[in-house]
Amino acid sequence: MLLAYRTDPSAYAVGAVIGVTHQTVQRCLNRAVRFGVMAALDDSPRPGKAAEITDEARAWLISLACRKAKELGYPHELWTTRLLACHVRAHAAAAGHPCLGNLVQGTVCKILARHEVKQHKVRYYLERRDEAFEAKMAEVLCVYREVAVLRESEPNDTNVAIISYDEKPGIQAIGNTAPDLPPRPGSHASFARDHEYKRHGTLSLLAGIDLLNGHVHACVEERHRSREFIGLLKRLDDAYPADTAIKLILDNHSAHISKETTAWVAAQPPGRFTFVFTPKHGSWLNLVEGFFSKMARSMLRHIRVASKAELKARILAYLDDLNRHPVVHTWTYKIAEAA
């Protein structure tokens, strides 16, 4: 504005060029005359209204927000801003903060936002409950390191099979009550599906991935008890030569450590089966979890079947298709340093 006014000394003309009113231009000129050109680049400070809420009152409000509402006798688990404002108005004077006596919900929101407190939200975390977490994690990562070493050699010459195993229970067999409508150019771009559906039950997928060659050993069962797990172990026993040591990475599910499973493994030749357990709440260390995730996001996504038999057949067909072109799963996240 100052430079434009120097070229054309007209407040109206400068305002029209810059897109402000002539009063704004005139105020800028007055500041330049009174306080200097540099001071005119900023607005003059306004008196405004003195802050009524003290820092101590703000700290008290934040401390309340960091507590649960139920601790103060409310049926709510957490605070809403409306409930918190109501509580503060009722108890501010007794707490020595009369400046909060007329506190409104909007002011509560501003104070909490300024201090980055989101008292109405819950972010979940998982407490580590396994005292031997680091030791078990290191053991699993050492197995992955062993896989990497074996793959650098000749995989076909090794007499060790390393399997990443887990179950995926509760795969729902859901059927349509009306046929899906296919996409139609110019009308609707996606498949249309009726909101109602029919439940046919659930199935469990028991799967283990050979980390050396990527082959998936799996079976689909009604349940995943010890007998089903032993059935999968028998499949592995038949799939590998008798002199091959089969090492399984798996979690601490009851079926894996039951008396029935322990007795069956003990009856096998020494060294035939070895279990390496992931830590409690450490299933993310098991590579097969990534396989299940990909399966859920691809083959199982939006799946509709007429029966559990159809669901089982389609899952097995998917696994057969994978085994035609096996994909080797590897652990690559700082494996050497962690091990």
Side-chain angles (χ1 to χ4, degrees):
M1 283 187 284
L2 296 177
L3 293 175
Y5 186 83
R6 181 179 181 182
T7 304
D8 184 2
S10 170
Y12 289 94
V14 172
V17 171
I18 296 179
V20 297
T21 64
H22 71 281
Q23 292 93 337
T24 301
V25 177
Q26 192 62 52
R27 284 194 293 269
C28 180
L29 296 174
N30 293 338
R31 288 197 303 273
V33 172
R34 294 178 59 190
F35 306 109
V37 174
M38 298 306 297
L41 300 182
D42 298 318
D43 289 339
S44 299
R46 295 177 174 84
K49 185 179 180 181
E52 296 181 353
I53 301 178
T54 63
D55 292 339
E56 292 76 10
R58 293 174 186 271
W60 178 68
L61 190 152
I62 294 297
S63 67
L64 286 176
C66 293
R67 299 175 61 185
K68 287 189 174 182
K70 69 174 185 178
E71 297 176 2
L72 299 176
Y74 293 96
H76 307 67
E77 180 74 11
L78 305 176
W79 292 107
T80 64
T81 52
R82 187 182 301 276
L83 179 64
L84 182 57
C86 182
H87 177 84
V88 169
R89 287 196 300 269
H91 299 85
H97 305 293
C99 58
L100 297 176
N102 296 319
L103 186 70
V104 296
Q105 181 183 4
T107 305
V108 172
C109 295
K110 292 178 182 178
I111 294 175
L112 296 178
R114 189 176 299 118
H115 291 81
E116 298 183 354
V117 175
K118 300 178 181 179
Q119 83 297 333
H120 60 291
K121 291 187 175 182
V122 175
R123 190 183 72 174
Y124 288 88
Y125 74 99
L126 188 60
E127 184 178 353
R128 185 173 294 180
R129 294 181 173 86
D130 193 336
E131 297 180 355
F133 190 96
E134 288 80 6
K136 293 179 180 178
M137 178 178 66
E139 184 178 5
V140 173
L141 295 180
C142 284
V143 175
Y144 292 149
R145 186 59 182 169
E146 179 184 355
V147 172
V149 172
L150 291 173
R151 284 191 54 78
E152 292 175 358
S153 61
E154 291 294 332
N156 295 329
D157 296 338
T158 183
N159 60 347
V160 177
I162 300 178
I163 309 295
S164 175
Y165 170 84
D166 202 1
E167 297 94 1
K168 182 175 179 59
I171 303 176
Q172 296 193 67
I174 297 178
N176 284 338
T177 57
D180 288 344
L181 303 179
R184 182 172 298 175
S187 177
H188 49 273
S190 62
F191 279 91
R193 174 171 289 171
D194 189 81
H195 287 279
E196 294 187 1
Y197 56 86
K198 182 179 181 181
R199 296 182 184 272
H200 300 293
T202 60
L203 293 174
S204 294
L205 171 62
L206 289 69
I209 302 176
D210 190 318
L211 299 181
L212 293 175
N213 57 34
H215 186 87
V216 180
H217 303 274
C219 60
V220 181
E221 306 289 350
E222 296 279 343
R223 302 171 66 181
H224 56 288
R225 300 164 296 179
S226 297
R227 64 187 66 179
E228 286 80 19
F229 177 56
I230 292 174
L232 193 282
L233 294 179
K234 292 179 179 179
R235 285 173 175 262
L236 295 176
D237 191 41
D238 295 337
Y240 294 97
D243 62 342
T244 300
I246 303 174
K247 185 178 296 185
L248 279 84
I249 301 173
L250 68 174
D251 60 22
N252 294 272
H253 188 273
S254 58
H256 306 161
I257 56 177
S258 65
K259 293 181 179 179
E260 186 177 357
T261 300
T262 303
W264 187 89
V265 173
Q268 307 309 306
R272 177 60 166 172
F273 285 95
T274 303
F275 291 171
V276 178
F277 293 102
T278 58
K280 188 174 182 181
H281 299 317
S283 60
W284 50 271
L285 285 166
N286 205 339
L287 280 174
V288 74
E289 297 293 343
F291 164 73
F292 287 150
S293 175
K294 182 178 179 180
M295 181 179 179
R297 290 181 281 110
S298 57
M299 179 260 169
L300 293 177
R301 188 184 182 198
H302 301 311
I303 192 170
R304 289 292 187 267
V305 294
S307 64
K308 289 198 294 185
E310 180 187 347
L311 176 62
K312 179 176 180 178
R314 292 174 66 175
I315 292 175
L316 294 178
Y318 171 76
L319 298 175
D320 290 340
D321 185 62
L322 289 179
N323 286 330
R324 292 190 188 95
H325 306 283
V327 176
V328 177
H329 293 66
T330 57
W331 181 275
T332 57
Y333 180 71
K334 296 183 179 179
I335 181 171
E337 293 85 346

